[in-house]
Amino acid sequence: MSTINFANREINFKIVYYGPGLSGKTTNLKWIYGKIPEGRKGEMVSLATEDERTLFFDFLPLDLGEVKGFKTRFHLYTVPGQVFYNASRKLILRGVDGIVFVADSAPNRLRANAESMRNMRENLAEYGLKVEDLPVVLQVNKRDLPDALPVEMVRAVVDPEGRFPVFEAVATEGKGVFETLKEVSRLVLARVGSGA
Amino acid sequence: MVEPSLVLYGGPYERAMDVLEETLRETGARYALFIDRKGFVLAHKEALWAPKPPPLDSLATLVAGNAAATQALAKLLGEARFQEVVHQGERMGLYVDEAGEHALLVLVFDENAPLGKVKLYGKRAAEALARLAAEALANPPKLNLDTQYREEAKALLDELFGN
Ligand SMILES: Nc1nc2c(ncn2[C@@H]2O[C@H](COP(=O)(O)OP(=O)(O)OP(=O)(O)O)[C@@H](O)[C@H]2O)c(=O)[nH]1
Ligand SMILES: [Mg+2]
């Protein structure tokens, strides 16, 4: 649930970018960091290995501005996608308000996409959460790959019921990055005050 | 066990600020923060003489991440919890203690603050804050944000992220 600070009149939301290793989660955050003007963002913190794989998380705070007297802010996180970092991944999900699932269009990552989604369900379950209870947006990334799988094929393995809004993206070029973030933000905000 | 929202305002907030202020005075620490386990700042106080602090968002996030990892380690070893954590460099130090199940106390201190005092008053402050957190959780305020909030927020989303 969102963190509300009445004293400072702030409402904070936590949005987590989830997905298999190398799908482009960190690339999303870097693009966002590069495009948001000063004054609307804080420092980006990346806990990564030498070869730039996320080790614990990336973090980027964004300032939406003042809404009805409340400063409204989003804290964006990425999880480490590599399978063996599950203990860290689980910790990052604590208190999550919305999720962007970044899937990889590469044919040899189809299975990794499916496994990552299953892993996310398991980890959420440890916090008593179901994917169905949370705003989730599916981003199908790396659409620029020459052998990119059809979007529907990627979707079929991570979201067979077609429940989540889907965005195609080329995160390295910023395509679809803001569209995805905007949609998850909208969904998260839509739950404020609705008793959810 | 969905993470509850720890909302601090009014009386409990004022008292939290008092606790932080007193802790700064007793320990000689630079900054005192009361944060939730998700890494959001609930209340913070800076000593009047202290230089500008580092970005508090980053500080709170890293401390919460660190605390979560430490707690997971304790569990792996069959411990309910580990004691408070102190990190000390040549000049600066960090004291982190749990303030109940959902929050943390953070003290940032320099070489002029005696570690014994930091630990003693840090522990006391953490206990006081744990009580405040429990109280706040037991009486969550009602937030009356309506459709108007959502519409205004949506307009800001357009502005920040484009149409
Ligand atoms: N061709 C192509 N490459 C991309 C795209 N997005 C990201 N990449 C590349 O994929 C690699 C991995 O990207 P990251 O953003 O670090 O992946 P990640 O999901 O954060 O990976 P982990 O931290 O291990 O979970 C990098 O070399 C990126 O440049 C894309 O849209 N198209
Ligand atoms: Mg990464």
Side-chain angles (χ1 to χ4, degrees):
Chain A
M1 284 303 296
S2 51
T3 294
I4 301 158
N5 190 328
F6 276 88
N8 299 333
R9 300 197 68 76
E10 283 177 9
I11 303 186
N12 298 304
F13 300 99
K14 177 171 180 175
I15 294 175
V16 175
Y17 283 69
Y18 210 97
L22 296 178
S23 69
K25 302 175 291 296
T26 299
T27 307
N28 266 268
L29 252 67
K30 281 186 177 161
W31 180 271
I32 295 162
Y33 181 76
K35 290 293 164 188
I36 296 283
E38 288 304 330
R40 306 293 292 274
K41 67 183 174 194
E43 299 287 322
M44 179 159 166
V45 175
S46 288
L47 303 181
T49 59
E50 293 263 303
D51 53 351
E52 298 207 343
R53 303 295 301 269
T54 303
L55 178 60
F56 198 172
F57 58 79
D58 301 297
F59 166 70
L60 174 61
L62 296 182
D63 227 320
L64 184 62
E66 202 159 300
V67 188
K68 291 203 77 181
F70 278 88
K71 268 177 271 167
T72 300
R73 311 168 82 203
F74 293 101
H75 281 189
L76 310 185
Y77 285 83
T78 74
V79 299
Q82 294 182 81
V83 175
F84 51 88
Y85 288 142
N86 192 46
S88 322
R89 207 154 41 233
K90 200 180 303 177
L91 300 177
I92 306 305
L93 283 177
R94 183 169 186 166
V96 63
D97 294 302
I99 292 174
V100 172
F101 188 92
V102 182
D104 195 321
S105 299
N108 63 356
R109 299 302 282 162
L110 190 61
R111 190 160 162 188
N113 290 330
E115 277 165 7
S116 176
M117 178 57 84
R118 201 188 52 201
N119 168 258
M120 184 171 97
R121 286 181 178 277
E122 286 167 8
N123 283 339
L124 284 171
E126 298 223 5
Y127 293 103
L129 289 171
K130 285 207 209 79
V131 174
E132 292 73 24
D133 303 335
L134 280 169
V136 178
V137 172
L138 173 60
Q139 181 186 79
V140 183
N141 190 32
K142 303 199 187 177
R143 297 312 297 157
D144 59 323
L145 293 179
D147 56 349
L149 293 173
V151 172
E152 282 315 313
M153 193 183 280
V154 177
R155 181 181 210 181
V157 302
V158 291
D159 179 26
E161 288 159 45
R163 193 174 271 139
F164 316 134
V166 185
F167 290 87
E168 297 190 33
V170 183
T172 35
E173 297 165 21
K175 280 191 198 144
V177 169
F178 275 118
E179 289 82 348
T180 308
L181 174 58
K182 193 173 163 188
E183 178 64 6
V184 75
S185 308
R186 199 182 62 75
L187 293 173
V188 162
L189 285 165
R191 304 200 332 156
V192 172
S194 67
Chain B
M1 51 159 213
V2 177
E3 186 77 18
S5 245
L6 185 51
V7 181
L8 211 59
Y9 82 122
Y13 175 79
E14 295 303 331
R15 273 180 291 152
M17 290 297 273
D18 289 346
V19 170
L20 296 181
E21 186 167 7
E22 190 186 325
T23 310
L24 287 181
R25 204 169 48 234
E26 296 291 354
T27 57
R30 286 188 179 185
Y31 321 112
L33 289 86
F34 185 31
I35 69 176
D36 71 14
R37 297 258 187 183
K38 292 184 266 176
F40 291 110
V41 179
L42 299 170
H44 79 100
K45 199 95 197 166
E46 299 163 24
L48 287 174
W49 50 268
K52 191 172 154 4
L56 296 181
D57 277 339
S58 306
L59 189 71
T61 299
L62 289 169
V63 166
N66 214 358
T70 305
Q71 198 185 37
L73 283 169
K75 247 172 86 184
L76 272 183
L77 300 182
E79 289 285 342
R81 62 177 51 80
F82 282 146
Q83 296 279 328
E84 79 284 342
V85 179
V86 177
H87 294 293
Q88 256 192 310
E90 262 174 44
R91 291 182 38 253
M92 299 298 297
L94 192 67
Y95 173 94
V96 180
D97 204 349
E98 54 178 27
E101 221 181 308
H102 302 287
L104 300 162
L105 164 74
V106 188
L107 298 174
V108 179
F109 56 95
D110 59 30
E111 70 251 313
N112 296 317
L115 184 59
K117 280 198 168 181
V118 168
K119 284 189 172 180
L120 174 66
Y121 289 99
K123 176 104 338 219
R124 283 189 197 168
E127 284 162 9
L129 293 173
R131 285 191 294 274
L132 288 176
E135 205 180 301
L137 279 171
N139 310 292
K142 194 90 197 79
L143 183 62
N144 278 320
L145 290 176
D146 43 17
T147 45
Q148 212 184 330
Y149 175 88
R150 297 202 281 275
E151 311 246 297
E152 275 186 39
K154 208 173 154 290
L156 285 174
L157 284 181
D158 289 338
E159 183 214 314
L160 191 59
F161 304 145
N163 284 305

